[in-house]
């Protein structure tokens, strides 16, 4: 199958300073933060405050913080147990008087065909939905809610129902 690269970019222009958006980004791993849509998705949780070396993830997606520049960039590298090698990054891009852009970028490769299949048919769709909700929340948190909030596609709703059934069937220690 060769190299199966995964590139995925989401971004939102915000009519606020990069400093204001960056302060919001710095809270992404805090419980109850205004960015992560934990009411709809597994919470992003780390084993310590956001910093290089913090381990965690959301749901079954595991990663470690491998780069962090407060107010500007957060990089999470997928754990070796994941079917992907690579990272996902949040960044704030300063556009001066025009505000800023909050961007989320995934650059990874499938470690095996199963990883590519999981990404193509399930994870990508779920990822796109959670990140668009996060960007909606970022816009709302800085006082500029989206005119058209993100909506789940029928495929995402079906995947979520399937995952909810799987999680309900797994015993909790």
């Amino acid at each position: 199958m060769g190299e199966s690269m995964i590139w995925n970019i989401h971004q939102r222009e915000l009519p606020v300073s990069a400093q204001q958006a960056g302060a919001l980004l710095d809270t992404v791993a805090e419980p109850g933060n205004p960015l992560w849509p934990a009411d709809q998705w597994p919470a992003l949780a780390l084993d310590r405050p956001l910093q290089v070396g913090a381990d965690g993830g959301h749901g079954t997606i595991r990663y470690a913080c491998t780069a962090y520049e407060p107010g500007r960039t957060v990089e999470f590298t997928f754990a070796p147990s994941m079917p992907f090698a690579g990272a996902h990054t949040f960044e704030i891009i300063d556009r001066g008087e025009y505000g800023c852009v909050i961007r989320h970028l995934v650059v990874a490769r499938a470690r095996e065909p199963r990883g590519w299949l999981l990404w193509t048919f399930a994870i990508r769709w779920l990822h796109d939905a959670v990140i668009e909700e996060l960007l909606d929340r970022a816009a709302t948190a800085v006082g500029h809610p989206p005119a058209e909030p993100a909506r789940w596609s029928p495929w995402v709703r079906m995947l979520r129902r399937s995952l909810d059934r799987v999680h309900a069937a797994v015993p909790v220690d």
Side-chain angles (χ1 to χ4, degrees), residues 13-31:
E13 292 185 25
L14 299 174
V16 300
S17 71
Q19 183 179 7
Q20 184 178 355
L24 189 61
L25 177 60
D26 291 339
T27 71
V28 72
E30 294 175 8

Side-chain angles (χ1 to χ4, degrees), residues 14-18 93-100:
L14 299 174
V16 300
S17 71
I93 301 162
D94 191 346
R95 297 187 64 227
E97 67 183 86
Y98 301 104
C100 67

Side-chain angles (χ1 to χ4, degrees), residues 33-58:
N33 75 77
L35 276 182
W36 193 264
D39 57 328
Q40 298 288 331
W41 301 93
L44 190 165
L46 300 174
D47 64 353
R48 64 191 95 160
L50 183 58
Q51 60 188 279
V52 172
D55 287 315
H58 57 280

